[in-house]
Structure formats: C-alpha cells, structure tokens
C-alpha cells in the first residue's frame, strides 16, 4: 500500500511538472505571437482599438488554443495511461509483488479537474503577453528601431538579473 501510494505521489508530481512546462510553452508561444504581430497591433491601436480590446483578443485567442490543447491533452493522456499501465504493472510484478490491472477507470471529477487546470493554466500563462500587447503604443509600434532601443536599455538589467540567478 505504501509503495502504490509512492507511485501515485510520483505521478502527481510529474503531472504538475508537465503542467508547468506546458505553461512555459504557452507563455513563449503567446509572447512570440504578440511580438510577431506588433505592427498589426500598432495599426489596430492607431485605428481606435482600445487596450482592453487588444488584451481581450489575445486572451480569447489563447483560450481557444487552450480549449483545443486541453481536450487533445486529456484524450492523449487517457490513451497513454492505458498503454503505460502495462509497463508499470510489469515493473511492480518484477520487483515487488504480483499485481493485475484489468480496467482503467478515470472518474468524471478527474476529467473535469484536468479541463479546469488546462484552461486556467492557459489563461494564466497568456496574461503577461496579453498585457504586453495592450501596451503597444499606436504609431510608435510601426517604427522598428523603437523595439531595439527599448531592448538595449533593458539588456543591462536583464544581464544583472540573470547573473544573480546563476550565482544563486
């Protein structure tokens, strides 16, 4: 019983780690999307689209992608779990005691928790890129040198923060 509880805790920790990695990927994807569309966002802002509308558009886009990704993740997780249960069972049988698993049961509560976690992780990860998109100044976004000058000013601060993190 203690060993199977340890397996469960390990699987929970690995699933949370994969959720964090997924959030990092979502953040990077949405940031890249905002940077790539900076000129378009600047044009929209010049035409009168408000910051709040830009913020909501980026969050809406990430939510649609998050819904699709969450459903695909849940479906692939179920299939992967059913496939890998045989390997885990074989490991337990070879090392500890005989165990037979005939059915894999996934409760509706678990599926709902997965759906909620996937959607919340997506929205949380997209908040910073959406905020950055809403701060794109109209007109100035059309000037490419503005981004480069801003980045040069921040590069020293980022270098010091990175150096501090490496030392820590």
């Amino acid at each position: 019983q203690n060993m199977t509880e340890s397996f469960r805790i390990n699987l929970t920790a690995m699933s949370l780690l994969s959720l964090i990695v997924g959030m990092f990927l979502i953040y990077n994807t949405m940031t890249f999307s905002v940077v790539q569309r900076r000129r378009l966002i600047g044009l929209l802002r010049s035409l009168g689209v408000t910051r709040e509308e830009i913020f909501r558009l980026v969050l809406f886009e990430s939510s649609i992608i998050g819904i699709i990704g969450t459903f695909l993740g849940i479906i692939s997780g179920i299939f992967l779990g059913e496939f890998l249960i045989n390997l885990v069972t074989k490991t337990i049988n070879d090392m500890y005691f005989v165990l037979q698993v005939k059915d894999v049961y996934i409760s509706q509560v678990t599926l709902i928790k997965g759906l909620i976690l996937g959607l919340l992780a997506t929205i949380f990860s997209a908040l910073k890129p959406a905020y950055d998109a809403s701060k794109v100044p109209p007109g100035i976004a059309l000037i490419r040198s503005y981004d480069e000058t801003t980045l040069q000013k921040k590069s020293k601060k980022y270098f010091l923060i990175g150096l501090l993190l490496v030392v820590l």
Side-chain angles (χ1 to χ4, degrees), residues 2-163:
N2 288 340
M3 190 200 58
T4 55
E5 181 67 17
S6 296
F7 269 132
R8 189 186 68 73
I9 290 171
N10 187 29
L11 290 173
T12 301
M14 291 299 128
S15 64
L16 291 175
L17 179 64
S18 67
L19 183 67
I20 291 170
V21 169
M23 290 174 68
F24 179 71
L25 291 172
I26 293 165
Y27 169 78
N28 281 334
T29 302
M30 293 311 299
T31 300
F32 181 73
S33 173
V34 166
V35 168
Q36 194 175 26
R37 298 178 191 169
R38 189 169 175 82
R39 181 175 167 84
L40 175 65
I41 294 170
L43 285 171
L44 289 173
R45 293 277 293 124
S46 297
L47 293 173
V49 177
T50 66
R51 291 176 186 232
E52 293 81 22
E53 290 172 328
I54 297 291
F55 184 82
R56 282 183 290 191
L57 279 171
V58 173
L59 281 184
F60 180 73
E61 176 187 8
S62 65
S63 298
I64 296 299
I65 294 169
I67 289 169
I68 295 168
T70 300
F71 278 116
L72 290 175
I74 288 172
I75 291 168
S76 62
I78 291 170
F79 287 121
L80 186 64
E82 288 178 357
F83 172 73
L84 293 177
I85 195 73
N86 294 328
L87 296 176
V88 173
T89 304
K90 186 177 182 312
T91 302
I92 292 172
N93 287 339
D94 290 346
M95 299 182 85
Y96 301 105
F97 56 87
V98 176
L99 177 69
Q100 288 191 354
V101 177
K102 295 181 181 184
D103 292 329
V104 176
Y105 173 73
I106 301 170
S107 69
Q108 290 180 352
V109 173
T110 301
L111 295 175
I112 292 170
K113 280 197 272 185
L115 182 67
I116 291 171
L117 269 176
L119 295 177
L120 288 177
T122 301
I123 292 170
F124 182 75
S125 299
L127 284 175
K128 175 78 167 95
Y131 176 76
D132 290 344
S134 71
K135 293 296 180 188
V136 171
I140 294 178
L142 304 176
I143 303 170
R144 184 176 174 87
S145 63
Y146 175 77
D147 291 337
E148 294 169 5
T149 307
T150 306
L151 186 61
Q152 280 182 343
K153 289 178 184 175
K154 293 180 180 179
S155 65
K156 290 179 185 176
K157 179 177 82 170
Y158 291 151
F159 172 75
L160 293 174
I161 290 171
L163 187 63

